[in-house]
Amino acid sequence: MVVQQIANGVVLGSLYALVALGLTLVYGVLRILHVAHAGVFVLGAYVGVLVYLPTGSLALAIVSAAVVCSLAGLIMYRFLYRPVLGRPPLVPLIISIGAFMFLEDLYRLVMGPYIKSLPVTIRAAGFETAAVRLTGYQLFIVAAAAGLLLGLWWLMRGTRLGLAWRASAQDLETAAAHGINTDVIIGVCFVIGSAIAAVAGVMVGGYYNQVYPSMGSVPAYKALAVIVLGGMGSVPGTVIAGLALGLAETLTMVWVGTFLPRDAIAFLVLILMLLVKPTGLLGRAS
Amino acid sequence: MISSLYLVTVVTMTCIYIILASGLNIITGYAGQPNLGHAAFFGIGAYASALLTTKAGLSFWAALPLAILITAVVGLALGVISLRVRDDFLAITTIGVNFVVVSVFLYFTFFGRALGLGGIPRPTLFGYNLQKPQYLVLVLAVVALVMALCWVFSRSRLGLMVTAVREDEIAARCLGLDVTRLKIIAFVLGTSLAGLAGSLYAHFMTFISPYDFAFPVSITIMCMVVLGGAGTLWGPVVGAVVLASAPELLRFIQDYRMLVYGSLLVLLMLFQPSGLLGMGSAFAGRELRLAARARGRVNQGG
Amino acid sequence: MSAYRGKWVNALLAGLLIVALAFSFAGCKPKEPQVVKIGVFAPITGPAAADGAAATNAAILAVEKVNNAGGINGVKVELLTYDDQFSSAQAVAVAHQMIERDGVVAIVSGSYSTPTRAVAPIAQEAKIPLVAGYAVHPDITAAGDFCFRNSFVGTVQGLAAAEVAVRDLGAKKVSILMVDTDFGRILGETFKQTVEARGVKVLSIDAYPYGEKDFSALLTKIKGLNPDLLYATGYYAEGAAIALGAQTVGLTCQILGMEGMDSPKFLELGGAATEGIIITTNLNRDDMRPIAQEFLQAYESRFNVPADMVAASTYDAILIVCEAMRVGGFEPQAIRDAIAGLTNFEGVTGVIQAFTPSGEVIKPVQVQIVRDGAFHFFSVVDDPAIITPPN
Amino acid sequence: MADTIFTVRSVTKAFGGLTALKAVTLEVGREEIFAVIGPNGAGKTTLFNVISGVYRPDEGEIYLAGRPLHGLTTHRIARLGVARTFQITRLFKQLTVLDNVVLGFGRGDIDPRGLVGGARRPAEVERAKELLAAVGLKDSAGLTAGTLAYGDQRRLELARAMAMDPTLLLLDEPCAGLTHHEALELAALIRRLKDSGVTVVLVEHNMYVAMGVADRVAVLDHGEKIAEGSPEAIQRDPVVIEAYLGRGEAGEDRA
């Protein structure tokens, strides 16, 4: 049962990591808490529903969601964040929260308040031994998370784009002074981050078979906890933090009992950790 | 008389929001410390007052100051945290505080869990039980007191020093300002007001439940401060009146309420980030307008 | 309070808020004669918006039915709907608005416990009858003799579930999962006490937050305990997630759910995983009575979504109020008396035998099972000792 | 050198692997103008940050009039009479010019009267206006500090520091960004300050400005003091010339 619970934690943690990755990319270069990222995540899930139901193709659903969300992310950057770069951090944060409220209500008005189902079936076989049992879809989630992470890691470490991103994350102004088109870099961050959120949206929607307007509410703020735990702007840190949170929630729920409602655990760990190390788990000193 | 009980309710809630927004304004507006968990302190005040009256048998008049004190102690703790954790991290920490506090209300039987706490008495004065209209008079008196306090604070040297901390912490330290103490003072003052509002809310509603103090409430209070103009005396009041009465006035668009709310916030931050009464606004005080004009001149001058 | 002080308060208010303006306009609406107003409040926006929609839809349908049949003794019913935003503070404002500004003669709650609990004492004080559709908190009917509840008080359903578990399913060891709301906790805890008293072993009891989707950890734990019954309280979204989660982790024991899961959405979202799940509710889908069939068909054809427990309960609450008006007239006091005196009233949710003096409904608890993707009759609990709510 | 009022003894400060200050020792006499010069990255601003308590020294001691400053928090050091300006101005930009100066009075003491009384007592307003007049900002008292031109911002910072009635005034590159004419005016102002009894330590990148105003000069390079003496002696010191010329920056007037 221990192995099974760890497996449960890893599946949950993979979903957390996927949602938080885009947030990390954006925070890395812009130092903006992009709460509306969760709105993109929900958009991805809805696009998934709209494409999957008539076509029955998960691949097509994921690709369309990624395309639509990339565009949405780019639009958000261009019209919401770019005009207020350099303002105190509270300004973009409130814009982001406002945009998120707007989106949640827009989804409700356009798609209706009811929960939609996204009955994804997957041909991959499950995995079952005496100690652990994972369905094909759970394996798919973990594999997709790992694949996206490796891809992102390659992009960051092995390409010129990654180099430019890291330079921009160090210091946006200096990077610009050295001829890096930071506007493009930031745009790429929003595109990639939003595409990953879209994938996460479709996968979460399919995993629980529920897509609804407020499905982003809890992820919106929990993802913030994940990126702080991961050191704000660190891609591997975010993945580790996502997995750690998934495991921590699963394991405390089972062995410590419902010590506190699950959603509080993330923040409790966060507050305690910040008191010990105010720059996050893997954060660099500011 | 009965025909105005609805109005009494709306005005009472607006007043409670004015106190909340004014308290947050001290923390976020004057001292410049983000606090997205103000509703947690609202809740702590409400629960403290409710428990003190229903379980400890105290009267409202004894419970109110104690509730403020209890909230202030927790606010002090957050103030200490704010010394160590800053900016974005502090913003997220305060969100976390809100989630954790609501969870505590939800989890422990002592706090009534999901059932909340009921049977909270209305205050009595000279043997009379204060019903809603009389209670509103009390709330209005408290609001007047709170605004007087905020007025004194905003004009005092203390207020000026707290604002200096917001503007530049290191420069403030180098002038001999005890930034640590000033930040803690701001947190304690701001959260005490939230505790006061919580107590007033509990005895107005007569029952409370954890979700009354959830994170979206913090967002609403923050919106009030930002909409009206953070760091101005009357900004939070205007913000609270507009946003607390907007749902009432905008009932005809009730289905699009959050849509309007959300876009209002976005547009305001994009085009008038210092709020309705903030710098550069047509509604701003004369001094601020002049300053903004002067800034415009300098910018044009290159 | 003296008249002088009252005026002073009013003047103060008027000076303080522009809101007053909104009222003077709203207050000027010409009153049509021969119309009686019923107010319905529901969470139209906010986290429970889907239930808000179901409740208001059902209310509209009920009022249309009454008006199409010529009204109540020739008087048309006007339905006023209000959004409580799932918030108690908002509900207080809504309550005053309904009673004072709009002059409704009766109120129906199409909302959850928290907002309804805020409205009940105000309705009681103003002596306007309130019928709660599906809100379960005991404080609602405890507010006074003008407050009624058309759904089972939480303890009744918990008792009935225990009866089903022991009598029908022969459970010996059970696990309990309950949603962390007043509804979920009351049912879960009543169930636990009752089955334990009847010699059943309770292996585990866990609460989970409202809106939870991931049950893999808890269900894995429960699977390890190997119960022969899982009693799960929750709403349809959580219920469906529990059904799917049980399938994912390979938990095969019988699942017993409750009223909150009585929704077509439960079947849609849970899919094949809901097959065989049993719930306690107040709506019998195999009920061949015309009133039930007519409602189920009309609702689905009108709103393109099948009716659920929220819709049916709110629908009945409106019909109860209308029936009371037909019998007693249009004065609030008379309506209240007529509701209290109602016997064997045919509602969609079953035959309402009567209301207790404390305002709780007495009607049999329906037990439904999911077969071939639909709810069907499984059994009924009509033992008066169980279905009569305690005073 | 008359009696020593300010002493920095063997102060060392490292950031990770980089040692910004290596056992720096300075002795400054009462009412002296003491300049610390050195190329970029020599550790001048770090020295100021260590003195004013923004950083804690890893080793070494600092005394003002016999009282230890090392290990104290920034605001305590300020209250003992150390005022400073910054290389890049740090004003309270949204406050008025007048309030910026007023905040300097009383060295941050929270006077109980300050809790309820007005923020600025009439006597303080008078004195603040005098200080503003002294730095040439007589007409700007009511403006928002952030709207001032850059040179004016530097002047305001100086007036704010003077409001603290300091024993020791630390000026971090006071002439940076000023025109030649403005720099000369400032030098005259610094000399007047000295005459009024203030001890001044200034950090300057620009060697000639420093030479023109200072009584004595110390030279930092890579965190180490490489020379100290009168301006004339420093100008002739081959070690100093090497340190500057080695980077091709000597004599370059960057104002």
Side-chain angles (χ1 to χ4, degrees):
Chain A
M1 202 168 86
V2 182
V3 184
Q4 177 66 56
Q5 291 292 16
I6 291 174
N8 291 339
V10 168
V11 174
L12 188 63
S14 302
L15 293 174
Y16 287 159
L18 282 180
V19 179
L21 269 180
L23 218 54
T24 291
L25 289 177
V26 170
Y27 189 85
V29 287
L30 278 188
R31 301 286 185 270
I32 279 178
L33 294 173
H34 178 28
V35 174
H37 188 63
V40 176
F41 160 80
V42 183
L43 179 65
Y46 271 115
V47 174
V49 169
L50 292 177
V51 175
Y52 184 80
L53 290 185
T55 64
S57 160
L58 183 60
L60 195 62
I62 288 180
V63 170
S64 342
V67 169
V68 172
C69 288
S70 300
L71 206 63
L74 210 53
I75 290 172
M76 278 191 195
Y77 165 58
R78 177 64 189 79
F79 294 102
L80 296 185
Y81 299 129
R82 206 169 77 168
V84 295
L85 292 183
R87 295 239 185 227
L90 205 56
V91 172
L93 181 61
I94 291 178
I95 287 185
S96 199
I97 290 172
F100 182 48
M101 282 163 63
F102 176 88
L103 286 176
E104 278 198 320
D105 220 37
L106 187 72
Y107 299 143
R108 182 180 64 82
L109 289 166
V110 175
M111 303 299 294
Y114 303 105
I115 301 178
K116 298 218 175 284
S117 72
L118 180 53
V120 176
T121 48
I122 194 160
R123 246 166 282 149
F127 173 85
E128 184 159 8
T129 66
V132 63
R133 167 196 161 105
L134 286 171
T135 63
Y137 198 75
Q138 286 177 314
L139 290 175
F140 170 65
I141 289 174
V142 177
L148 282 171
L149 177 71
L150 287 176
L152 200 60
W153 192 74
W154 170 77
L155 208 62
M156 291 291 142
R157 293 283 148 182
T159 63
R160 281 191 65 80
L161 180 76
L163 189 67
W165 181 82
R166 279 181 290 144
S168 308
Q170 280 293 320
D171 188 335
L172 207 55
E173 280 170 23
T174 312
H178 285 78
I180 293 172
N181 189 339
T182 52
D183 208 35
V184 170
I185 296 296
I186 297 168
V188 168
C189 279
F190 272 89
V191 165
I192 295 175
S194 303
I196 296 175
V199 176
V202 178
M203 290 203 308
V204 169
Y207 184 43
Y208 301 122
N209 192 25
Q210 299 194 5
V211 174
Y212 51 101
S214 60
M215 71 185 278
S217 298
V218 173
Y221 301 102
K222 211 184 259 184
L224 293 183
V226 171
I227 70 164
V228 174
L229 289 169
M232 294 277 214
S234 154
V235 171
T238 302
V239 174
I240 293 169
L243 290 174
L245 184 63
L247 282 169
E249 284 187 357
T250 305
L251 299 183
T252 45
M253 198 149 60
V254 176
W255 278 293
V256 188
T258 34
F259 156 64
L260 269 183
R262 196 175 92 186
D263 293 338
I265 292 174
F267 288 105
L268 206 60
V269 172
L270 170 94
I271 293 169
L272 294 178
M273 195 218 62
L274 279 178
L275 286 177
V276 179
K277 192 165 183 304
T279 48
L281 208 57
L282 300 181
R284 26 171 204 266
S286 51
Chain B
M1 194 57 224
I2 194 169
S3 68
S4 66
L5 274 182
Y6 166 65
L7 197 54
V8 168
T9 302
V10 174
V11 177
T12 306
M13 282 312 296
T14 304
C15 287
I16 288 171
Y17 274 119
I18 289 174
I19 300 172
L20 285 169
S22 296
L24 181 61
N25 188 38
I26 292 178
I27 299 170
T28 300
Y30 289 111
Q33 305 300 306
N35 177 9
L36 287 167
H38 207 55
F41 299 93
F42 181 35
I44 291 168
Y47 270 84
S49 204
L51 289 169
L52 287 169
T53 48
T54 57
K55 295 206 177 162
L58 295 185
S59 76
F60 166 79
W61 305 104
L64 179 76
L66 279 173
I68 295 172
L69 189 73
I70 291 167
T71 315
V73 169
V74 185
L76 183 88
L78 184 63
V80 172
I81 291 177
S82 80
L83 302 174
R84 206 164 152 68
V85 182
R86 5 191 111 234
D87 298 334
D88 299 344
F89 291 94
L90 183 57
I92 297 175
T93 304
T94 55
I95 295 175
V97 166
N98 206 153
F99 275 89
V100 171
V101 166
V102 168
S103 296
V104 167
F105 293 155
L106 262 179
Y107 185 69
F108 292 99
T109 321
F110 183 66
F111 295 107
R113 295 191 155 162
L115 294 175
L117 294 172
I120 307 166
R122 285 257 164 70
T124 50
L125 188 62
F126 309 123
Y128 290 100
N129 203 6
L130 297 189
Q131 289 309 307
K132 277 177 190 165
Q134 296 97 317
Y135 192 76
L136 175 58
V137 177
L138 172 72
V139 171
L140 285 172
V142 173
V143 166
L145 209 66
V146 166
M147 289 320 295
L149 183 84
C150 289
W151 180 76
V152 167
F153 174 81
S154 72
R155 284 177 37 88
S156 71
R157 184 63 152 266
L158 180 69
L160 189 61
M161 285 176 172
V162 166
T163 316
V165 171
R166 173 192 75 195
E167 291 291 300
D168 195 318
E169 234 176 79
I170 289 181
R173 283 182 202 278
C174 288
L175 288 184
L177 269 58
D178 189 343
V179 170
T180 303
R181 194 191 299 182
L182 289 167
K183 274 192 192 176
I184 287 180
I185 288 174
F187 269 99
V188 168
L189 274 179
T191 53
S192 307
L193 289 183
L196 168 67
S199 179
L200 290 176
Y201 176 79
H203 295 273
F204 174 70
M205 292 297 293
T206 70
F207 79 94
I208 50 177
S209 55
Y211 294 110
D212 296 349
F213 313 104
F215 178 61
V217 180
S218 290
I219 295 295
T220 308
I221 303 168
M222 178 59 87
C223 290
M224 288 170 175
V225 172
V226 169
L227 176 81
T232 62
L233 177 64
W234 295 105
V237 179
V238 172
V241 170
V242 169
L243 287 190
S245 56
E248 310 303 324
L249 292 172
L250 301 183
R251 241 175 230 293
F252 59 95
I253 57 154
Q254 68 178 19
D255 214 26
Y256 306 91
R257 193 169 43 87
M258 298 310 280
L259 206 69
V260 173
Y261 242 62
S263 33
L264 195 71
L265 273 187
V266 171
L267 294 176
L268 195 76
M269 281 295 103
L270 283 175
F271 299 111
Q272 180 55 37
S274 49
L276 291 179
L277 297 190
M279 200 177 281
S281 154
F283 304 104
R286 187 173 157 272
E287 219 171 301
L288 285 174
R289 266 202 315 273
L290 287 176
R293 213 177 297 155
R295 182 174 54 180
R297 257 201 323 270
V298 169
N299 290 346
Q300 279 161 16
Chain C
M1 189 165 74
S2 72
Y4 170 74
R5 246 172 85 198
K7 270 181 197 161
W8 181 67
V9 170
N10 277 341
L12 206 57
L13 297 183
L16 236 154
L17 260 198
I18 348 151
V19 185
L21 272 177
F23 281 89
S24 36
F25 287 128
C28 289
K29 261 185 213 159
K31 278 190 184 152
E32 287 169 70
Q34 295 302 300
V35 159
V36 63
K37 290 177 181 170
I38 300 178
V40 172
F41 64 95
I44 296 170
T45 59
D51 290 322
T56 42
N57 286 346
I60 290 167
L61 206 62
V63 168
E64 276 177 7
K65 176 187 153 84
V66 170
N67 283 343
N68 288 344
I72 302 166
N73 299 333
V75 176
K76 296 272 182 191
V77 177
E78 184 184 343
L79 180 74
L80 301 172
T81 58
Y82 302 83
D83 181 12
D84 63 41
Q85 300 166 28
F86 202 29
S87 132
S88 45
Q90 199 56 43
V92 169
V94 160
H96 287 302
Q97 209 174 16
M98 285 191 282
I99 296 168
E100 295 146 18
R101 187 191 75 183
D102 299 338
V104 302
V105 295
I107 299 172
V108 166
S109 159
S111 192
Y112 284 60
S113 284
T114 309
T116 310
R117 201 175 157 197
V119 172
I122 296 165
Q124 178 65 32
E125 203 174 335
K127 301 210 177 302
I128 300 288
L130 165 76
V131 180
Y134 59 98
V136 295
H137 200 288
D139 281 2
I140 294 165
T141 46
D145 59 349
F146 275 76
C147 300
F148 299 88
R149 185 193 333 264
N150 172 42
S151 60
F152 305 113
V153 64
T155 50
V156 166
Q157 217 182 136
L159 289 169
E163 175 78 2
V164 174
V166 178
R167 181 192 73 183
D168 298 350
L169 303 171
K172 295 277 179 286
K173 41 188 186 147
V174 301
S175 281
I176 302 171
L177 266 182
M178 53 190 184
V179 61
D180 203 352
T181 62
D182 49 2
F183 195 14
R185 278 201 178 266
I186 291 171
L187 264 65
E189 279 157 10
T190 310
F191 179 85
K192 176 172 183 283
Q193 286 162 15
T194 316
V195 293
E196 273 178 344
R198 293 173 73 166
V200 176
K201 191 167 163 51
V202 175
L203 302 172
S204 67
I205 177 161
D206 290 287
Y208 62 86
Y210 175 70
E212 179 64 87
K213 295 292 170 290
D214 196 296
F215 290 93
S216 53
L218 285 172
L219 290 171
T220 301
K221 180 178 110 174
I222 289 168
K223 184 187 172 193
L225 298 172
N226 195 27
D228 40 44
L229 178 86
L230 169 63
Y231 181 51
T233 76
Y235 303 88
Y236 62 85
E238 294 92 348
I242 289 172
L244 281 176
Q247 192 181 49
T248 301
V249 307
L251 176 72
T252 49
C253 73
Q254 175 66 50
I255 297 175
L256 177 60
M258 49 77 130
E259 198 179 54
M261 297 171 195
D262 187 350
S263 162
K265 281 282 168 187
F266 173 70
L267 304 173
E268 181 191 335
L269 301 173
T274 60
E275 236 7 70
I277 290 180
I278 295 170
I279 62 166
T280 56
T281 182
N282 61 21
L283 177 60
N284 177 9
R285 310 307 159 106
D286 289 340
D287 191 343
M288 282 324 199
R289 290 175 306 138
I291 180 169
Q293 289 305 321
E294 180 204 351
F295 166 74
L296 293 172
Q297 281 159 20
Y299 189 93
E300 182 159 5
S301 70
R302 172 81 183 264
F303 303 110
N304 293 318
V305 56
D308 57 10
M309 178 277 298
V310 166
S313 303
T314 313
Y315 186 82
D316 270 0
I318 297 268
L319 292 186
I320 288 167
V321 169
C322 291
E323 172 64 14
M325 287 175 176
R326 197 184 58 74
V327 175
F330 301 108
E331 285 304 311
Q333 178 70 47
I335 299 171
R336 184 252 148 222
D337 294 342
I339 295 174
L342 219 58
T343 49
N344 292 327
F345 174 73
E346 286 269 346
V348 168
T349 58
V351 177
I352 292 159
Q353 297 174 358
F355 283 97
T356 66
S358 56
E360 303 291 356
V361 72
I362 305 171
K363 61 181 172 184
V365 177
Q366 299 295 332
V367 186
Q368 301 270 293
I369 184 165
V370 181
R371 278 213 193 91
D372 305 322
F375 286 112
H376 290 290
F377 178 81
F378 180 75
S379 70
V380 64
V381 178
D382 49 10
D383 179 352
I386 294 174
I387 65 168
T388 307
N391 271 320
Chain D
M1 185 171 68
D3 57 328
T4 300
I5 187 163
F6 178 62
T7 310
V8 173
R9 190 175 300 150
S10 317
V11 163
T12 297
K13 176 73 194 172
F15 298 102
L18 179 83
T19 308
L21 293 174
K22 282 180 215 158
V24 172
T25 297
L26 301 173
E27 301 231 323
V28 180
R30 192 177 293 278
E31 294 171 33
E32 191 176 26
I33 299 179
F34 191 96
V36 179
I37 64 169
N40 274 333
K44 296 168 307 215
T45 296
T46 305
L47 178 65
F48 268 22
N49 283 338
V50 168
I51 296 172
S52 59
V54 175
Y55 300 149
R56 267 173 195 236
D58 297 334
E59 282 166 41
E61 293 156 347
I62 304 166
Y63 295 93
L64 179 67
R67 304 174 73 162
L69 300 186
H70 49 274
L72 296 185
T73 55
T74 304
H75 76 273
R76 295 221 164 277
I77 292 171
R79 286 180 184 189
L80 290 173
V82 179
R84 71 171 289 186
T85 66
F86 297 87
Q87 190 177 355
I88 298 159
T89 55
R90 302 194 82 126
L91 292 168
F92 308 121
K93 288 191 176 158
Q94 288 193 46
L95 302 186
T96 61
V97 168
L98 185 77
D99 282 348
N100 267 271
V101 178
V102 164
L103 278 162
F105 293 131
R107 294 179 186 169
D109 225 17
I110 302 181
D111 185 339
R113 277 175 301 175
L115 297 178
V116 287
R120 320 146 191 97
R121 263 166 275 140
E124 289 178 332
V125 174
E126 280 309 302
R127 174 86 185 110
K129 285 188 173 158
E130 282 170 33
L131 286 169
L132 284 173
V135 297
L137 289 173
K138 202 172 64 183
D139 301 326
S140 307
L143 294 180
T144 306
T147 64
L148 294 180
Y150 189 69
D152 287 348
Q153 294 201 8
R154 291 206 153 267
R155 281 189 250 255
L156 173 55
E157 232 188 17
L158 188 60
R160 185 177 71 181
M162 284 154 61
M164 290 171 69
D165 191 15
T167 311
L168 176 69
L169 178 60
L170 307 173
L171 301 175
D172 196 347
E173 303 215 5
C175 297
L178 298 191
T179 64
H180 187 64
H181 178 69
E182 286 174 328
L184 288 179
E185 274 182 5
L186 190 72
L189 181 65
I190 294 170
R191 274 188 220 102
R192 283 205 299 280
L193 278 174
K194 169 195 166 159
D195 296 341
S196 71
V198 181
T199 304
V200 180
V201 175
L202 60 92
V203 146
E204 222 1 291
H205 175 76
N206 182 327
M207 207 157 124
Y208 289 118
V209 174
M211 297 294 176
V213 72
D215 298 321
R216 281 193 310 130
V217 178
V219 185
L220 282 189
D221 187 33
H222 288 106
E224 282 182 283
K225 187 170 82 175
I226 57 170
E228 185 180 326
S230 68
E232 297 75 26
I234 291 295
Q235 260 164 324
R236 287 192 301 270
D237 192 327
V239 182
V240 177
I241 294 169
E242 163 64 26
Y244 268 70
L245 278 182
R247 291 173 187 79
E249 288 186 23
E252 204 179 316
D253 191 345
R254 313 216 323 161

